[in-house]
Amino acid sequence: MRRRKILLVILDGLGDLPSPALGGRTPLEAAETPVLDGLAAAGLGGLLDPLAPGVAAETHTGTAPLLGLEAKALEGLTRGPIEAAGAGLELAPGDIALRGNFATVVAEGGELAIVDRRAGRIREHTQELVDALEGIGPIDGVQIRARAQKQHRIVLQLAGEDLSAAIEDTDPGNAGRPQRLRSSHAPGEDAAAARTADVLDRFLRRAHEILASHPVNRERAAQGLPVANAILTRGAGVAQPIEGRMGQLGLRGAVVAGDRALLGLARLLGFTGITAPEFTALADSDPRAKVAAACAALADHDVVWLHYKATDITAHDRQPRLKRDCIARFDAALAPLCDEDIVIGVTADHTTDSNSGSHTADPVPAL
């Protein structure tokens, strides 16, 4: 039997709930999608649960199965090491990796109140902010390395003796108001975790002091922009080997993405990661360039994943109309792939509700 190549399109956070701003329709229902409509007419479509009915997925847990990772391998798969892999960091055994955000905080009642968890999705001069943190440490013998990611994102690597990833996030997420910057702590009586949490807290306090007075933030404040004067952390973990079904089947895979989580999973699974500066992971990402990169990758790969993050980001920012427009823009860009003699799949990693800005446990469309 002739074996055709496969393109799997992952529209991040594509699932949604009816929006009053769109007349009670979801962004996908409201979008002009003649290409996807044609594919749907020629193929099979429906709804699927990324993990299980009633279980909300994150980007890495919802995407990993689409990349061929079996469910049992998801246990213990945390975002920190995935982001670290996407950033090109090499984790030694025992190192701890965390993902984080630059954030805007203000002193309030002896605590730090979070004004903006993403510092206005800062895009400029983040490397300068990270460079200013290089002088912190070592703390209690632990070296801490920071790596700037796209926009507000950052990765931390802790290297030293007797460390543990069993620590709580300092990022409170979107739940609850008002939001306060949390201290990291270790549940139970794990001495290594308690030490790791203490080192991390000391680093984050010092980072806040340095960032608060940094020239980049003084300039942002003068321009009326949110300052990036704190770091929120989450997803602590250690590197662990993972193997997916694609590798077991001897299939060559490539991932076209701007999101570091996808590029990190690609690296960990032994796939080719393909990215470019115009793959911003925001609404201004260039879907035509991504489609062209996917077409090129199909020449020497068996399976190509094409990931589009803008559908998720716009929903997190509660912009259903912009999410609708991103879907339509992507649909138009997808047209050249319909002329290829390939198998095409289109789905999502999770549902992101553009009314609340949060992931939900609702099923996602699949084609």
Side-chain angles (χ1 to χ4, degrees), residues 42-43 57 59 65 69 94 127 160 169 176 195 201 227 233 237 257-258 268 275 279 299 337 364:
T59 291
L69 200 64
Q127 187 59 54
D169 298 342
R195 176 172 181 265
D201 272 341
V227 297
T233 61
L268 293 173
T275 192
F279 303 170
L337 283 167
V364 299

Side-chain angles (χ1 to χ4, degrees), residues 53-240:
V55 178
E58 296 297 325
T59 291
H60 67 297
T61 57
T63 302
L66 299 175
L67 298 178
L69 200 64
E70 296 184 24
K72 61 183 179 182
L74 292 176
E75 297 177 12
L77 184 66
T78 54
R79 190 73 171 266
I82 294 172
E83 298 275 351
L89 290 173
E90 296 289 345
L91 299 182
D95 286 359
I96 307 299
L98 305 97
R99 67 182 298 218
N101 287 359
F102 282 116
T104 306
V105 301
V106 296
E108 190 175 275
E111 297 181 303
L112 292 176
I114 300 172
V115 177
D116 188 328
R117 289 182 58 247
R118 302 179 181 91
R121 293 197 183 277
I122 181 172
R123 300 180 69 167
E124 297 83 18
H125 307 295
T126 55
Q127 187 59 54
E128 295 174 47
L129 295 175
V130 166
D131 289 344
L133 307 179
E134 287 297 318
I136 304 177
I139 299 174
D140 196 16
V142 178
Q143 293 281 358
I144 302 178
R145 183 182 184 187
R147 177 70 64 89
Q149 300 286 72
K150 290 190 175 183
Q151 294 98 44
H152 56 281
R153 300 175 184 89
I154 187 172
V155 172
L156 297 180
Q157 177 183 5
L158 280 61
E161 300 294 328
D162 300 322
L163 297 177
S164 170
I167 59 176
E168 299 290 341
D169 298 342
T170 66
D171 184 354
N174 290 316
R177 295 290 188 277
Q179 292 179 314
R180 297 286 186 270
L181 180 63
R182 297 173 175 173
S183 294
S184 181
H185 66 278
E189 299 182 2
D190 185 330
R195 176 172 181 265
T196 306
D198 177 66
V199 168
L200 178 61
D201 272 341
R202 288 158 67 182
F203 172 83
L204 295 178
R205 286 196 297 271
R206 180 62 182 139
H208 170 60
E209 295 170 359
I210 293 171
L211 294 172
S213 60
H214 196 282
V216 167
N217 280 321
R218 288 203 298 268
E219 179 61 25
R220 287 181 66 83
Q223 296 177 11
L225 298 172
V227 297
N229 63 349
I231 297 172
L232 311 178
T233 61
R234 59 195 187 279
V238 297
Q240 59 182 20

